Amino acid sequence: MLRFIKNNNLAAVNKYFVKNLLLLLLILPTFVVSQNTTSIKGYITNKQNAPISNVSVSFNTKGTVSNADGYYELIIPIRKTIRITFSHVSYKKHVKKVTLRSKRILNYSPVLISLNNKLNEVVVNNKTNEAKGITTIDIAKVKRLPGVNAGVENLLMTFAGVNNNNELSTQYNVRGGNFDENLVYVNGIEIYRPFLIRSGQQEGLSFINSNMVQNIHFSAGGFQAKYGDKLSSVLDITYRKPTQTKTQIELSLVGGSATIEGLTKNKKGSGIIGLRHRNNSLFVNSKQIKTNYKPSFTDIQAFLSYQVNDKLNVDFLGSFSLNKYNYTPISRRTRFGTLINPIELIVFYKGQEKDSYLTSFGAFKTDYKLNEEITLHATISLYNTQEEEYYDILASYNLGEVDSNLGSENFGEVEFSQGIGSQLNHARNDLDALIANFQLKATYKKENNQLEAGIKYQVEDIKDRIIEWEVIDSVGFAIRPPHHSINDQPYDPYRGSITPYQSIRATNNVTINRISGFAQFSRKDFINEHQIWYNFGMRFQNWNVKSNGIRKESHFIFSPRAQFAIKPDWDKDVLFRVSGGLYYQPPFYKELKDNLGAIHPEVKAQQSIHAVLGSDYSFILWERPFKLTTEIYYKHLSNVNPYTVDNVRIRYQAQNNATAYATGIDIRLNGEFVPGNESWISLGILKTQENINNQGDIARPTDQRFKLGILFQDYVPNLPDLKVYLNLVYNSGVPGGSPSYANPYQFQSRLDAYKRADLGISYIFVDNTKKATSSWLRNFKELTAGLELFNFFDINNSITNTWVRDVYSKTMYGIPNYMTGRVLNFKLGVQF
């Protein structure tokens, strides 16, 4: 009996054990899989932000499909790199490479491109550029954004920390620096600009042809060692290699352009050629100065590429530009001051200005892929500019007090003249500059490591003749120059020679030889589950200056730099970065020349200890993607070479007699405020001051305390092909400057804030997303037409001051030079 019970219990136990063992075996794989998997989910949409259903989402043999709302969710392994494929019969296949280090759920919402879209670019969500502190700019936005100088620089000026109060100029200040502190590269080749340009209306065309651009990268500071020796920023442009044959033509009331691109029969060779012409008279005629203005700005560029074999590629980049500036001022009437004490300046002119800027540039570049890990690059380039600046302009002026009494019969009229006089300006300036260089670079890349190094030799040969003088006459008496011998005219006659108030005469033959190099190392890695990226490197440069038989001076600098970024393994998509280093700017020709045209080879490189702390936070708002970018920066500058700014011309003291600092914060929020259209708001706060010869801190010429920039894109809901673009900028006032011969500590008044709104409206008849509905439209790949209204609110913005002397009080008045008024422009774009 006991034995029977024992056997029965044993059987029951065995049965229970087997049953639970089978259950455990069924549950255990699920448990184990769940410990090694997580999920990716999101919404799949098209370019119009409409959900796409029945999209196949798969990797290896596993997959799912999106529902009617475009929603999908897929189980994926962790600690493995997989490729997830999104495919649909009506859309281009999209592949996403994913590596998850934890069980955190990944939110990913791809935008699929219709098979009818023949786009040249695919946007990939890559955090590498953000880790480097580099902003990637969409070329399509560059072409659509309205602006007097439409192009890459026009879009940059909507960024926090990037400023320019002159819409006629393509130059810009970055975080307290000046125009000369920015690096510009096209296909890895450094670009230079003319030397003698004094005003934005003389500038004409930017070197960068937007119709030839493929990629745009911009860094506002803390950049890598592979970039050159400047203090402020890097703009890195890549011209595209054509993949098809097409012709693009753009016409407007201010000029036009034509771009032709194509391939050779064997597909190894490609070429793109751009021709542009511009006439700024429409804008200059909207200013307060009446003129006869006949400008002509023309350039042609070519980028040719040939793939010799799988390892060797040869590129050529060439440019030729001719800018002619014929300017005959007639009269000017400017009212300034306050409501209680208004002052009016009336000027009548005689004479004219004739300037010419002829620039040519050519570069050959070869890329040789030694093996899968090592690539060698060699570049040789030549830049030549021949510039003439000739003018003789006599200005007769009357500076008077305006009757501000509302009850007066003469209200608004000049009732008393504070100054009556004239000034004669004369110049015969010629410059010929030749810059040649040769550069070798090598890149070693293996897995997540990258090592780069390079060396460059450059010679600069500048021939410059300067003849400038200014005679000021007030009530029939010639005003002596500053620090001239004392006299008591008109009470005691002065019998000396008539000396110009300002006079510059110099002939300079300058040769500068430079050798520079860099080495840097970059790596992607993980700390626990947190993704990191770091870079450290160094630059050196040795240069010597020889001028007019003066003893040759030699200089050397060493510039260490570093960057570190971390993307924490958080549910929120956040990236933090820090960068900095010891940055130098060796003097170029302009920085060696003082106010009197003399060359100072002893001038040292300006130095900046630079630190940047930034973050990128990507998030979903209103079911649309947004990103908040924030950067805090500080720059401590020594061996500073002080300067004054007259419109866009910078005149240096050619002395390292100052220290300075710049600090601030830049914030930019960008995203789809309107579905399918990216817009952004930028906010910048800056303070920069300098101390010249221990006289105390004063605001630098670029001390723009507050910046607000808005780029907004929209469309008409019932007519989505009718697009609207708005470009808004508010810059607080900068110091009004001072005469080049004066002490800037005595001229610390500020200009008024710069406020501007440009509006663009365009209609798309045909493009790569819209098929032609009429037979005549089938002749075009793309056809757009639009209107642009510049300075929508017709605000009088000023850029600099014209200095006028009141003979009675011996006061120098800063008369604001106002910029362009409201201007309407028509644009037409055609692509074959």
Side-chain angles (χ1 to χ4, degrees), residues 373-422:
E373 298 169 346
I374 300 175
T375 304
L376 305 177
H377 315 271
T379 305
I380 184 169
S381 69
L382 191 68
Y383 171 85
N384 177 245
T385 179
Q386 299 174 32
E387 306 176 25
E388 295 179 351
E389 184 183 48
Y390 296 171
Y391 58 79
D392 288 284
I393 297 177
L394 173 65
S396 302
Y397 67 89
N398 176 44
L399 186 68
E401 295 181 1
V402 178
D403 187 350
S404 58
N405 186 357
L406 292 174
S408 172
E409 294 181 356
N410 298 319
F411 174 73
E413 297 181 5
V414 176
E415 61 177 358
F416 174 74
S417 293
Q418 292 182 328
I420 298 175
S422 62

Side-chain angles (χ1 to χ4, degrees), residues 574-624:
V574 183
L575 180 142
F576 299 100
R577 62 178 172 272
V578 60
S579 62
L582 182 59
Y583 291 78
Y584 287 91
Q585 180 161 324
F588 205 47
Y589 172 70
K590 288 170 60 177
E591 289 131 291
L592 298 171
K593 185 171 65 172
D594 66 15
N595 296 330
L596 298 177
I599 300 299
H600 296 265
E602 72 279 5
V603 173
K604 301 176 183 178
Q606 299 182 82
Q607 175 184 303
S608 172
I609 300 174
H610 199 166
V612 182
L613 179 64
S615 69
D616 290 322
Y617 172 41
S618 300
F619 58 96
I620 301 297
L621 181 64
W622 307 316
E623 298 183 353
R624 297 192 290 273

Side-chain angles (χ1 to χ4, degrees), residues 153 156 172 174 178-186 189-193 208 217-220 223-237 456 539 541 561 583-586:
E153 297 90 348
L156 284 181
Y172 49 90
V174 178
N178 66 31
F179 303 144
D180 295 332
E181 296 178 10
N182 305 309
L183 287 161
V184 179
Y185 293 93
V186 173
I189 303 163
E190 187 173 355
I191 302 302
Y192 304 92
R193 60 187 180 86
I208 302 167
H217 294 144
F218 178 73
S219 172
F223 42 85
Q224 299 177 9
K226 70 178 181 179
Y227 296 114
D229 295 301
K230 296 281 188 178
L231 296 181
S232 290
S233 74
V234 173
L235 177 61
D236 193 359
I237 303 291
K456 178 181 178 181
R539 287 190 65 84
Q541 184 174 148
R561 308 174 187 182
Y583 291 78
Y584 287 91
Q585 180 161 324

